[in-house]
Every structure is written in structure tokens, then in C-alpha cells.
């Protein structure tokens, strides 16, 4: 995520001064696609909850597979210790917020409170 912030700062400063090159445009498109991909947490609660349950089950199945292969189970994929609420909290804090903050840096007008 730290590379996102340095790249965002670079693109944002170019946007303010001398325009954006094709790599900057490509980066912006990638950023917007990533934000769209992880946007379920910002949808109405019923929709967000359904997606949270689905993704948590996917992670738990991944943990089951890791265990079956004799691998160390990733903590967020461990049925014995992972929780839906804890997993979502970490996902929002460590994945979603950094991406959306980077997007807000490039498009501040889209993130103003009404």
C-alpha cells in the first residue's frame, strides 16, 4: 500500500502542474478499478454483509486447504481464530481505507461531504 501512496502523490503533483503522462493515466484507471473491486464495504449494510460472509467463507476455505496440505494456516484464514467482524475490520482499516484515501487524493471533489 505504501507504493500506492508514493505513486498517488507523484500523479497528483503532475496533475496540478503539467498534466499526466500515459503511465499516470494507466495508474489512475488501475486505482479506480481496485476501488470498485473492494467497494462492497461501502454499500448498504444488507449488501455489504452478504459480501462479507461470502469473502470470509472463501478465506476460511483457503485456510482449510492450507491445513490439508500441511501448510501453516494464514491467521485470517483460520477457522479456529478468525471472525467475520474482525476480518472485516482489518479489511476496511488496512485495505479499503488506504486505497480510497489514495483515490480521494487524486479526486478530492468526489469525496466532499454533502
Amino acid at each position: 500500500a505504501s507504493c500506492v501512496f508514493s505513486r498517488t502523490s507523484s500523479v497528483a503533483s503532475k496533475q496540478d502542474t503539467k498534466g499526466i503522462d500515459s503511465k499516470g493515466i494507466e495508474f489512475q484507471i488501475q486505482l479506480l478499478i481496485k476501488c470498485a473491486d473492494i467497494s462492497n464495504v461501502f454499500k448498504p449494510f444488507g449488501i455489504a454483509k452478504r459480501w462479507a460472509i461470502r469473502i470470509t467463507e472463501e478465506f476460511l476455505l483457503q485456510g482449510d486447504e492450507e491445513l490439508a496440505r500441511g501448510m501453516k494456516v494464514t491467521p485470517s484464514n483460520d477457522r479456529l481464530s478468525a471472525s467475520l467482524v474482525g476480518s472485516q475490520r482489518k479489511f476496511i482499516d488496512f485495505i479499503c481505507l488506504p486505497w480510497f484515501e489514495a483515490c480521494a487524493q487524486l479526486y478530492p471533489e468526489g469525496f466532499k461531504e454533502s
Side-chain angles (χ1 to χ4, degrees):
S2 63
C3 65
V4 172
F5 297 120
S6 63
R7 180 66 192 227
T8 303
S9 296
S10 171
V11 171
S13 67
K14 286 181 184 176
Q15 192 171 15
D16 291 341
T17 58
K18 55 186 168 188
I20 304 169
D21 60 15
S22 63
K23 289 186 187 234
I25 292 170
E26 181 180 332
F27 171 76
Q28 287 186 42
I29 291 168
Q30 291 171 344
L31 177 65
L32 291 170
I33 290 171
K34 183 63 176 178
C35 287
D37 181 44
I38 62 176
S39 68
N40 288 316
V41 298
F42 298 108
K43 293 190 169 134
F45 182 73
I47 295 169
K49 182 179 177 184
R50 284 193 301 270
W51 279 105
I53 291 168
R54 287 177 180 155
I55 194 69
T56 299
E57 183 57 29
E58 183 178 326
F59 289 158
L60 295 177
L61 288 171
Q62 173 70 31
D64 296 345
E65 184 66 25
E66 292 168 350
L67 188 63
R69 292 177 181 229
M71 301 166 62
K72 183 179 178 193
V73 178
T74 307
S76 62
N77 300 354
D78 188 349
R79 271 188 202 280
L80 301 176
S81 62
S83 74
L84 176 65
V85 173
S87 296
Q88 284 302 291
R89 174 80 190 232
K90 289 175 187 170
F91 178 66
I92 291 167
D93 289 348
F94 299 109
I95 305 295
C96 295
L97 288 178
W99 281 98
F100 279 90
E101 287 170 348
C103 197
Q105 186 178 356
L106 286 173
Y107 304 102
E109 66 283 351
F111 287 84
K112 291 180 181 172
E113 292 185 38
S114 15

